[in-house]
PDB file of all heavy atoms in Angstrom:
ATOM      1  N   PRO U   3       7.767  26.043  35.578  1.00 98.00           N
ATOM      2  CA  PRO U   3       6.529  25.926  36.366  1.00 98.00           C
ATOM      3  C   PRO U   3       5.327  25.341  35.617  1.00 98.00           C
ATOM      4  O   PRO U   3       4.510  24.650  36.199  1.00 98.00           O
ATOM      5  CB  PRO U   3       6.225  27.364  36.797  1.00 98.00           C
ATOM      6  CG  PRO U   3       7.468  28.140  36.574  1.00 98.00           C
ATOM      7  CD  PRO U   3       8.275  27.407  35.544  1.00 98.00           C
ATOM      8  N   HIS U   4       5.224  25.640  34.335  1.00 98.00           N
ATOM      9  CA  HIS U   4       4.068  25.187  33.555  1.00 98.00           C
ATOM     10  C   HIS U   4       4.575  24.534  32.274  1.00 98.00           C
ATOM     11  O   HIS U   4       5.164  25.197  31.417  1.00 98.00           O
ATOM     12  CB  HIS U   4       3.145  26.361  33.220  1.00 98.00           C
ATOM     13  CG  HIS U   4       2.719  27.130  34.420  1.00 98.00           C
ATOM     14  ND1 HIS U   4       1.762  26.679  35.289  1.00 98.00           N
ATOM     15  CD2 HIS U   4       3.166  28.301  34.922  1.00 98.00           C
ATOM     16  CE1 HIS U   4       1.617  27.552  36.265  1.00 98.00           C
ATOM     17  NE2 HIS U   4       2.464  28.544  36.081  1.00 98.00           N
ATOM     18  N   VAL U   5       4.338  23.227  32.152  1.00 98.00           N
ATOM     19  CA  VAL U   5       4.829  22.459  31.008  1.00 98.00           C
ATOM     20  C   VAL U   5       3.665  21.660  30.429  1.00 98.00           C
ATOM     21  O   VAL U   5       2.873  21.076  31.180  1.00 98.00           O
ATOM     22  CB  VAL U   5       5.965  21.491  31.424  1.00 98.00           C
ATOM     23  CG1 VAL U   5       6.408  20.640  30.240  1.00 98.00           C
ATOM     24  CG2 VAL U   5       7.137  22.268  32.006  1.00 98.00           C
ATOM     25  N   ALA U   6       3.586  21.652  29.105  1.00 98.00           N
ATOM     26  CA  ALA U   6       2.553  20.870  28.429  1.00 98.00           C
ATOM     27  C   ALA U   6       3.164  20.152  27.231  1.00 98.00           C
ATOM     28  O   ALA U   6       4.076  20.671  26.580  1.00 98.00           O
ATOM     29  CB  ALA U   6       1.407  21.758  27.969  1.00 98.00           C
ATOM     30  N   ALA U   7       2.634  18.960  26.955  1.00 98.00           N
ATOM     31  CA  ALA U   7       3.062  18.177  25.799  1.00 98.00           C
ATOM     32  C   ALA U   7       1.843  17.795  24.974  1.00 98.00           C
ATOM     33  O   ALA U   7       0.842  17.324  25.520  1.00 98.00           O
ATOM     34  CB  ALA U   7       3.796  16.915  26.250  1.00 98.00           C
ATOM     35  N   ARG U   8       1.942  18.010  23.666  1.00 97.00           N
ATOM     36  CA  ARG U   8       0.893  17.560  22.751  1.00 97.00           C
ATOM     37  C   ARG U   8       1.180  16.099  22.425  1.00 97.00           C
ATOM     38  O   ARG U   8       2.249  15.766  21.916  1.00 97.00           O
ATOM     39  CB  ARG U   8       0.900  18.395  21.474  1.00 97.00           C
ATOM     40  CG  ARG U   8      -0.206  17.955  20.509  1.00 97.00           C
ATOM     41  CD  ARG U   8      -0.157  18.756  19.265  1.00 97.00           C
ATOM     42  NE  ARG U   8       0.858  18.181  18.382  1.00 97.00           N
ATOM     43  CZ  ARG U   8       0.967  18.491  17.102  1.00 97.00           C
ATOM     44  NH1 ARG U   8       0.199  19.385  16.560  1.00 97.00           N
ATOM     45  NH2 ARG U   8       1.892  17.912  16.370  1.00 97.00           N
ATOM     46  N   ILE U   9       0.217  15.233  22.727  1.00 97.00           N
ATOM     47  CA  ILE U   9       0.374  13.793  22.519  1.00 97.00           C
ATOM     48  C   ILE U   9      -0.803  13.296  21.674  1.00 97.00           C
ATOM     49  O   ILE U   9      -1.956  13.364  22.105  1.00 97.00           O
ATOM     50  CB  ILE U   9       0.419  13.030  23.873  1.00 97.00           C
ATOM     51  CG1 ILE U   9       1.483  13.622  24.799  1.00 97.00           C
ATOM     52  CG2 ILE U   9       0.635  11.548  23.635  1.00 97.00           C
ATOM     53  CD1 ILE U   9       2.886  13.602  24.245  1.00 97.00           C
ATOM     54  N   GLN U  10      -0.489  12.773  20.491  1.00 95.00           N
ATOM     55  CA  GLN U  10      -1.550  12.313  19.583  1.00 95.00           C
ATOM     56  C   GLN U  10      -2.177  10.996  20.039  1.00 95.00           C
ATOM     57  O   GLN U  10      -3.387  10.827  19.957  1.00 95.00           O
ATOM     58  CB  GLN U  10      -0.983  12.150  18.162  1.00 95.00           C
ATOM     59  CG  GLN U  10      -0.535  13.443  17.529  1.00 95.00           C
ATOM     60  CD  GLN U  10      -1.670  14.393  17.207  1.00 95.00           C
ATOM     61  OE1 GLN U  10      -2.848  14.072  17.286  1.00 95.00           O
ATOM     62  NE2 GLN U  10      -1.309  15.604  16.857  1.00 95.00           N
ATOM     63  N   ASP U  11      -1.370  10.069  20.495  1.00 95.00           N
ATOM     64  CA  ASP U  11      -1.851   8.732  20.863  1.00 95.00           C
ATOM     65  C   ASP U  11      -2.593   8.795  22.200  1.00 95.00           C
ATOM     66  O   ASP U  11      -1.980   9.049  23.235  1.00 95.00           O
ATOM     67  CB  ASP U  11      -0.655   7.785  20.962  1.00 95.00           C
ATOM     68  CG  ASP U  11      -1.027   6.372  21.361  1.00 95.00           C
ATOM     69  OD1 ASP U  11      -2.223   6.102  21.614  1.00 95.00           O
ATOM     70  OD2 ASP U  11      -0.114   5.534  21.436  1.00 95.00           O
ATOM     71  N   PRO U  12      -3.914   8.555  22.199  1.00 93.00           N
ATOM     72  CA  PRO U  12      -4.679   8.655  23.440  1.00 93.00           C
ATOM     73  C   PRO U  12      -4.179   7.710  24.543  1.00 93.00           C
ATOM     74  O   PRO U  12      -4.177   8.085  25.722  1.00 93.00           O
ATOM     75  CB  PRO U  12      -6.111   8.293  23.032  1.00 93.00           C
ATOM     76  CG  PRO U  12      -6.169   8.483  21.567  1.00 93.00           C
ATOM     77  CD  PRO U  12      -4.775   8.234  21.062  1.00 93.00           C
ATOM     78  N   ALA U  13      -3.747   6.514  24.190  1.00 93.00           N
ATOM     79  CA  ALA U  13      -3.248   5.573  25.204  1.00 93.00           C
ATOM     80  C   ALA U  13      -1.970   6.113  25.838  1.00 93.00           C
ATOM     81  O   ALA U  13      -1.789   6.045  27.062  1.00 93.00           O
ATOM     82  CB  ALA U  13      -2.996   4.204  24.582  1.00 93.00           C
ATOM     83  N   ARG U  14      -1.099   6.652  25.035  1.00 93.00           N
ATOM     84  CA  ARG U  14       0.139   7.230  25.559  1.00 93.00           C
ATOM     85  C   ARG U  14      -0.176   8.471  26.398  1.00 93.00           C
ATOM     86  O   ARG U  14       0.439   8.704  27.436  1.00 93.00           O
ATOM     87  CB  ARG U  14       1.078   7.579  24.400  1.00 93.00           C
ATOM     88  CG  ARG U  14       2.460   7.963  24.885  1.00 93.00           C
ATOM     89  CD  ARG U  14       3.425   8.169  23.737  1.00 93.00           C
ATOM     90  NE  ARG U  14       3.737   6.886  23.115  1.00 93.00           N
ATOM     91  CZ  ARG U  14       3.895   6.698  21.817  1.00 93.00           C
ATOM     92  NH1 ARG U  14       3.802   7.693  20.984  1.00 93.00           N
ATOM     93  NH2 ARG U  14       4.186   5.508  21.351  1.00 93.00           N
ATOM     94  N   ALA U  15      -1.139   9.250  25.947  1.00 93.00           N
ATOM     95  CA  ALA U  15      -1.537  10.441  26.714  1.00 93.00           C
ATOM     96  C   ALA U  15      -2.045  10.028  28.093  1.00 93.00           C
ATOM     97  O   ALA U  15      -1.683  10.634  29.110  1.00 93.00           O
ATOM     98  CB  ALA U  15      -2.609  11.225  25.957  1.00 93.00           C
ATOM     99  N   ASP U  16      -2.858   8.984  28.137  1.00 90.00           N
ATOM    100  CA  ASP U  16      -3.370   8.496  29.431  1.00 90.00           C
ATOM    101  C   ASP U  16      -2.225   7.997  30.315  1.00 90.00           C
ATOM    102  O   ASP U  16      -2.207   8.244  31.520  1.00 90.00           O
ATOM    103  CB  ASP U  16      -4.385   7.367  29.215  1.00 90.00           C
ATOM    104  CG  ASP U  16      -5.689   7.855  28.616  1.00 90.00           C
ATOM    105  OD1 ASP U  16      -5.969   9.075  28.678  1.00 90.00           O
ATOM    106  OD2 ASP U  16      -6.433   7.014  28.073  1.00 90.00           O
ATOM    107  N   ALA U  17      -1.267   7.319  29.716  1.00 92.00           N
ATOM    108  CA  ALA U  17      -0.156   6.754  30.486  1.00 92.00           C
ATOM    109  C   ALA U  17       0.716   7.831  31.115  1.00 92.00           C
ATOM    110  O   ALA U  17       1.306   7.616  32.179  1.00 92.00           O
ATOM    111  CB  ALA U  17       0.689   5.848  29.592  1.00 92.00           C
ATOM    112  N   PHE U  18       0.810   8.993  30.476  1.00 91.00           N
ATOM    113  CA  PHE U  18       1.695  10.041  30.981  1.00 91.00           C
ATOM    114  C   PHE U  18       0.948  11.164  31.703  1.00 91.00           C
ATOM    115  O   PHE U  18       1.580  12.096  32.198  1.00 91.00           O
ATOM    116  CB  PHE U  18       2.550  10.604  29.844  1.00 91.00           C
ATOM    117  CG  PHE U  18       3.700   9.706  29.505  1.00 91.00           C
ATOM    118  CD1 PHE U  18       3.547   8.677  28.595  1.00 91.00           C
ATOM    119  CD2 PHE U  18       4.920   9.862  30.128  1.00 91.00           C
ATOM    120  CE1 PHE U  18       4.592   7.825  28.299  1.00 91.00           C
ATOM    121  CE2 PHE U  18       5.981   9.019  29.844  1.00 91.00           C
ATOM    122  CZ  PHE U  18       5.814   7.996  28.923  1.00 91.00           C
ATOM    123  N   ASP U  19      -0.361  11.071  31.764  1.00 87.00           N
ATOM    124  CA  ASP U  19      -1.137  12.074  32.485  1.00 87.00           C
ATOM    125  C   ASP U  19      -0.759  12.033  33.963  1.00 87.00           C
ATOM    126  O   ASP U  19      -0.585  10.962  34.543  1.00 87.00           O
ATOM    127  CB  ASP U  19      -2.633  11.796  32.302  1.00 87.00           C
ATOM    128  CG  ASP U  19      -3.468  13.043  32.428  1.00 87.00           C
ATOM    129  OD1 ASP U  19      -2.906  14.146  32.450  1.00 87.00           O
ATOM    130  OD2 ASP U  19      -4.698  12.901  32.498  1.00 87.00           O
ATOM    131  N   GLY U  20      -0.570  13.183  34.586  1.00 88.00           N
ATOM    132  CA  GLY U  20      -0.245  13.238  36.003  1.00 88.00           C
ATOM    133  C   GLY U  20       1.219  13.012  36.325  1.00 88.00           C
ATOM    134  O   GLY U  20       1.565  12.663  37.449  1.00 88.00           O
ATOM    135  N   ARG U  21       2.098  13.230  35.368  1.00 89.00           N
ATOM    136  CA  ARG U  21       3.536  13.002  35.587  1.00 89.00           C
ATOM    137  C   ARG U  21       4.316  14.305  35.763  1.00 89.00           C
ATOM    138  O   ARG U  21       5.491  14.374  35.474  1.00 89.00           O
ATOM    139  CB  ARG U  21       4.131  12.233  34.413  1.00 89.00           C
ATOM    140  CG  ARG U  21       3.538  10.852  34.246  1.00 89.00           C
ATOM    141  CD  ARG U  21       4.555   9.792  34.587  1.00 89.00           C
ATOM    142  NE  ARG U  21       4.015   8.473  34.370  1.00 89.00           N
ATOM    143  CZ  ARG U  21       4.619   7.543  33.665  1.00 89.00           C
ATOM    144  NH1 ARG U  21       5.768   7.786  33.101  1.00 89.00           N
ATOM    145  NH2 ARG U  21       4.068   6.361  33.537  1.00 89.00           N
ATOM    146  N   GLY U  22       3.640  15.352  36.193  1.00 92.00           N
ATOM    147  CA  GLY U  22       4.325  16.616  36.457  1.00 92.00           C
ATOM    148  C   GLY U  22       4.224  17.626  35.333  1.00 92.00           C
ATOM    149  O   GLY U  22       4.840  18.685  35.401  1.00 92.00           O
ATOM    150  N   PHE U  23       3.456  17.302  34.300  1.00 97.00           N
ATOM    151  CA  PHE U  23       3.216  18.244  33.207  1.00 97.00           C
ATOM    152  C   PHE U  23       1.860  17.923  32.591  1.00 97.00           C
ATOM    153  O   PHE U  23       1.334  16.826  32.738  1.00 97.00           O
ATOM    154  CB  PHE U  23       4.329  18.194  32.151  1.00 97.00           C
ATOM    155  CG  PHE U  23       4.572  16.828  31.583  1.00 97.00           C
ATOM    156  CD1 PHE U  23       3.905  16.389  30.454  1.00 97.00           C
ATOM    157  CD2 PHE U  23       5.488  15.970  32.178  1.00 97.00           C
ATOM    158  CE1 PHE U  23       4.140  15.130  29.933  1.00 97.00           C
ATOM    159  CE2 PHE U  23       5.737  14.711  31.661  1.00 97.00           C
ATOM    160  CZ  PHE U  23       5.057  14.291  30.537  1.00 97.00           C
ATOM    161  N   ALA U  24       1.291  18.926  31.928  1.00 96.00           N
ATOM    162  CA  ALA U  24      -0.010  18.738  31.292  1.00 96.00           C
ATOM    163  C   ALA U  24       0.154  17.942  29.999  1.00 96.00           C
ATOM    164  O   ALA U  24       1.145  18.096  29.293  1.00 96.00           O
ATOM    165  CB  ALA U  24      -0.640  20.092  30.979  1.00 96.00           C
ATOM    166  N   VAL U  25      -0.809  17.088  29.743  1.00 96.00           N
ATOM    167  CA  VAL U  25      -0.848  16.320  28.503  1.00 96.00           C
ATOM    168  C   VAL U  25      -2.093  16.753  27.744  1.00 96.00           C
ATOM    169  O   VAL U  25      -3.203  16.694  28.280  1.00 96.00           O
ATOM    170  CB  VAL U  25      -0.898  14.800  28.795  1.00 96.00           C
ATOM    171  CG1 VAL U  25      -1.132  14.022  27.518  1.00 96.00           C
ATOM    172  CG2 VAL U  25       0.376  14.354  29.488  1.00 96.00           C
ATOM    173  N   VAL U  26      -1.884  17.210  26.528  1.00 96.00           N
ATOM    174  CA  VAL U  26      -3.001  17.619  25.678  1.00 96.00           C
ATOM    175  C   VAL U  26      -3.021  16.677  24.490  1.00 96.00           C
ATOM    176  O   VAL U  26      -2.042  16.584  23.750  1.00 96.00           O
ATOM    177  CB  VAL U  26      -2.845  19.086  25.221  1.00 96.00           C
ATOM    178  CG1 VAL U  26      -3.970  19.469  24.279  1.00 96.00           C
ATOM    179  CG2 VAL U  26      -2.798  20.014  26.426  1.00 96.00           C
ATOM    180  N   SER U  27      -4.135  15.962  24.335  1.00 95.00           N
ATOM    181  CA  SER U  27      -4.263  14.992  23.254  1.00 95.00           C
ATOM    182  C   SER U  27      -5.376  15.427  22.301  1.00 95.00           C
ATOM    183  O   SER U  27      -6.559  15.219  22.588  1.00 95.00           O
ATOM    184  CB  SER U  27      -4.579  13.602  23.812  1.00 95.00           C
ATOM    185  OG  SER U  27      -4.817  12.706  22.734  1.00 95.00           O
ATOM    186  N   PRO U  28      -5.010  16.023  21.167  1.00 94.00           N
ATOM    187  CA  PRO U  28      -6.033  16.409  20.194  1.00 94.00           C
ATOM    188  C   PRO U  28      -6.874  15.224  19.734  1.00 94.00           C
ATOM    189  O   PRO U  28      -8.075  15.364  19.507  1.00 94.00           O
ATOM    190  CB  PRO U  28      -5.225  16.985  19.023  1.00 94.00           C
ATOM    191  CG  PRO U  28      -3.910  17.350  19.609  1.00 94.00           C
ATOM    192  CD  PRO U  28      -3.674  16.394  20.736  1.00 94.00           C
ATOM    193  N   THR U  29      -6.268  14.051  19.617  1.00 94.00           N
ATOM    194  CA  THR U  29      -7.007  12.867  19.188  1.00 94.00           C
ATOM    195  C   THR U  29      -8.044  12.491  20.240  1.00 94.00           C
ATOM    196  O   THR U  29      -9.208  12.229  19.917  1.00 94.00           O
ATOM    197  CB  THR U  29      -6.041  11.695  18.932  1.00 94.00           C
ATOM    198  OG1 THR U  29      -5.054  12.113  18.001  1.00 94.00           O
ATOM    199  CG2 THR U  29      -6.780  10.479  18.411  1.00 94.00           C
ATOM    200  N   ARG U  30      -7.630  12.488  21.505  1.00 92.00           N
ATOM    201  CA  ARG U  30      -8.573  12.160  22.584  1.00 92.00           C
ATOM    202  C   ARG U  30      -9.692  13.199  22.641  1.00 92.00           C
ATOM    203  O   ARG U  30     -10.853  12.853  22.835  1.00 92.00           O
ATOM    204  CB  ARG U  30      -7.838  12.081  23.917  1.00 92.00           C
ATOM    205  CG  ARG U  30      -8.764  11.686  25.070  1.00 92.00           C
ATOM    206  CD  ARG U  30      -8.054  11.406  26.361  1.00 92.00           C
ATOM    207  NE  ARG U  30      -7.152  12.483  26.741  1.00 92.00           N
ATOM    208  CZ  ARG U  30      -6.235  12.387  27.681  1.00 92.00           C
ATOM    209  NH1 ARG U  30      -6.064  11.265  28.335  1.00 92.00           N
ATOM    210  NH2 ARG U  30      -5.465  13.402  27.971  1.00 92.00           N
ATOM    211  N   MET U  31      -9.349  14.480  22.470  1.00 94.00           N
ATOM    212  CA  MET U  31     -10.372  15.528  22.498  1.00 94.00           C
ATOM    213  C   MET U  31     -11.362  15.335  21.343  1.00 94.00           C
ATOM    214  O   MET U  31     -12.568  15.527  21.526  1.00 94.00           O
ATOM    215  CB  MET U  31      -9.732  16.912  22.462  1.00 94.00           C
ATOM    216  CG  MET U  31      -8.990  17.227  23.746  1.00 94.00           C
ATOM    217  SD  MET U  31      -8.370  18.920  23.929  1.00 94.00           S
ATOM    218  CE  MET U  31      -7.583  19.254  22.392  1.00 94.00           C
ATOM    219  N   ALA U  32     -10.877  14.948  20.166  1.00 95.00           N
ATOM    220  CA  ALA U  32     -11.765  14.711  19.031  1.00 95.00           C
ATOM    221  C   ALA U  32     -12.675  13.514  19.295  1.00 95.00           C
ATOM    222  O   ALA U  32     -13.885  13.574  19.028  1.00 95.00           O
ATOM    223  CB  ALA U  32     -10.943  14.484  17.757  1.00 95.00           C
ATOM    224  N   ILE U  33     -12.114  12.432  19.824  1.00 94.00           N
ATOM    225  CA  ILE U  33     -12.925  11.245  20.136  1.00 94.00           C
ATOM    226  C   ILE U  33     -14.001  11.598  21.151  1.00 94.00           C
ATOM    227  O   ILE U  33     -15.182  11.283  20.962  1.00 94.00           O
ATOM    228  CB  ILE U  33     -12.026  10.099  20.657  1.00 94.00           C
ATOM    229  CG1 ILE U  33     -11.114   9.583  19.537  1.00 94.00           C
ATOM    230  CG2 ILE U  33     -12.872   8.966  21.243  1.00 94.00           C
ATOM    231  CD1 ILE U  33      -9.978   8.694  20.028  1.00 94.00           C
ATOM    232  N   ASP U  34     -13.608  12.278  22.234  1.00 94.00           N
ATOM    233  CA  ASP U  34     -14.570  12.652  23.274  1.00 94.00           C
ATOM    234  C   ASP U  34     -15.646  13.579  22.720  1.00 94.00           C
ATOM    235  O   ASP U  34     -16.838  13.384  22.974  1.00 94.00           O
ATOM    236  CB  ASP U  34     -13.860  13.332  24.458  1.00 94.00           C
ATOM    237  CG  ASP U  34     -12.979  12.380  25.238  1.00 94.00           C
ATOM    238  OD1 ASP U  34     -13.081  11.150  25.046  1.00 94.00           O
ATOM    239  OD2 ASP U  34     -12.161  12.884  26.049  1.00 94.00           O
TER     240      ASP U  34
END
């Protein structure tokens, strides 16, 4: 029911966002 993936590459994180699981990007969070 609840799935998350840690993704370092912000571009890859954006590409997979909304695909049925949460994407957490520490790199994107640091940039933001």
Side-chain angles (χ1 to χ4, degrees):
H4 306 284
V5 177
R8 181 181 82 166
I9 307 301
Q10 295 292 351
D11 179 358
R14 190 174 289 142
D16 290 342
F18 282 87
D19 207 11
R21 297 249 183 129
F23 55 91
V25 172
V26 177
S27 175
T29 305
R30 182 172 51 193
M31 291 188 313
I33 292 166
D34 291 347

